[in-house]
Amino acid sequence: MGEKEMTLDTVRDSLIRQEDTIIFSLIERAKFPMNSPTYQEPKSCVGFCGSLIRFFVNETESLQAKAGRYQNPEENAFFPDHLPPSLVPPYAFPPVLHRAGASINVNNKIWDIYFKQLLPLFIISGDDGNYASTASSDLNCLQAISRRIHYGKFVAEVKYKDAPHDYEPAIRAKDRDALMKLLTFKAVEETVKKRVEKKAMIFGEEVTTNTTCTESNEGKHKIDPPLVSRLYDEWIMPLTKFVQVEYLLRRLD
């Protein structure tokens, strides 16, 4: 997306499309039980040290980095410190963001929230042995949520360019509360919460050939729709605004 093309409308369209990705990734993860060995620290190192999920995410990010994934400013790695350089010719992404945006990465917060708070809410207990597939599904969820939250940098940039006079006094004063107030629109947030809940209801509906158009399958969903609304309300939207504030505080550097 070029700099001239990025407007509040195009940013909003992207955020709405990202809702679909997040919901489908959660539905895919819900196919598997908790599979706790995926997250347990092994008693000894056999081929790798640490939990399978850390190994899987680290190795996958390393491969994706070689393929150029993290050249895109919309992508933020969970383990960015030791990523190998890209082996593919670089793409000239338009310089939409201020250079300070590259330093903002809240994936450590996303990691903790996902595994400690979110996952236990929608995954049944049990162990079916599909640990690699479980880790792959987790990574898809993590990357989808991370992309949505870090897209706050683009949201903040567009809002700033639309009305720099509104933001500059708070930025110069380093007033986080004032910036948060400028960025918060309760009516919009309520609309988002209702929309993602409805999408989760539609995307996750259990459909059978025995169900007619007049019959209801209400209550039979692959993932609890109100949970998706809660995910946005308690974690995604607050962290997105946190990213926006962090970005704006660096915008005049």
Side-chain angles (χ1 to χ4, degrees):
M1 182 182 295
E3 185 174 7
K4 293 181 180 179
E5 299 172 342
M6 183 164 281
T7 65
L8 280 175
D9 285 338
T10 57
V11 165
R12 190 178 298 112
D13 288 344
S14 178
L15 293 175
I16 290 172
R17 289 294 300 274
Q18 289 179 53
E19 294 168 2
D20 302 355
T21 305
I22 290 171
I23 293 167
F24 280 122
S25 68
L26 294 173
I27 290 172
E28 286 299 298
R29 176 59 184 90
K31 292 193 306 186
F32 303 102
M34 183 58 74
N35 284 336
S36 296
T38 310
Y39 316 110
Q40 294 171 353
E41 297 287 332
K43 295 180 180 179
S44 61
C45 296
V46 181
F48 63 92
C49 294
S51 64
L52 175 61
I53 186 62
R54 285 187 176 272
F55 171 77
F56 189 94
V57 173
N58 211 333
E59 292 294 309
T60 303
E61 286 190 338
S62 178
L63 175 61
Q64 291 177 341
K66 291 178 183 179
R69 178 172 186 141
Y70 299 105
Q71 295 183 54
N72 185 339
E74 295 182 16
E75 302 288 352
N76 295 266
F78 282 85
F79 300 105
D81 292 339
H82 303 292
L83 291 179
S86 173
L87 300 180
V88 302
Y91 179 81
F93 288 98
V96 175
L97 297 178
H98 185 277
R99 60 185 178 277
S103 66
I104 300 169
N105 187 324
V106 297
N107 275 337
N108 59 332
K109 297 178 184 292
I110 295 170
W111 184 279
D112 285 344
I113 288 170
Y114 178 80
F115 289 110
K116 295 178 181 178
Q117 300 181 53
L118 177 61
L119 203 59
L121 294 178
F122 76 102
I123 299 301
I124 63 171
S125 61
D127 186 338
D128 67 2
N130 288 303
Y131 308 136
S133 295
T134 296
S136 179
S137 293
D138 283 327
L139 178 55
N140 289 337
C141 291
L142 287 167
Q143 289 181 330
I145 293 170
S146 172
R147 188 184 184 100
R148 167 59 173 80
I149 288 171
H150 287 101
Y151 210 76
K153 301 176 194 179
F154 294 88
V155 177
E157 178 65 22
V158 170
K159 288 183 176 180
Y160 172 81
K161 284 189 173 179
D162 276 359
H165 52 280
D166 289 342
Y167 292 94
E168 286 183 3
I171 294 172
R172 296 187 190 282
K174 303 297 182 184
D175 191 335
R176 294 175 180 271
D177 291 339
L179 289 172
M180 186 64 73
K181 189 174 292 185
L182 286 168
L183 294 166
T184 300
F185 299 91
K186 288 295 184 183
V188 173
E189 292 179 5
E190 288 300 317
T191 298
V192 171
K193 287 161 53 180
K194 291 177 182 177
R195 184 173 61 237
V196 296
E197 182 170 344
K198 186 173 183 179
K199 284 184 176 182
M201 191 176 298
I202 295 170
F203 298 165
E205 184 177 6
E206 294 284 1
V207 179
T208 67
T209 55
N210 295 327
T211 303
T212 68
C213 294
T214 58
E215 290 176 331
S216 173
N217 241 352
E218 187 176 356
K220 298 179 180 179
H221 297 95
K222 299 180 180 72
I223 187 170
D224 184 30
L227 174 63
V228 180
S229 178
R230 180 181 173 187
L231 168 62
Y232 269 77
D233 182 38
E234 296 185 12
W235 298 304
I236 288 181
M237 290 192 291
L239 272 178
T240 301
K241 288 190 291 184
F242 175 83
V243 166
Q244 291 181 60
V245 169
E246 292 301 307
Y247 178 84
L248 288 171
L249 287 172
R250 295 163 170 81
R251 182 60 179 76
L252 301 180
D253 292 352

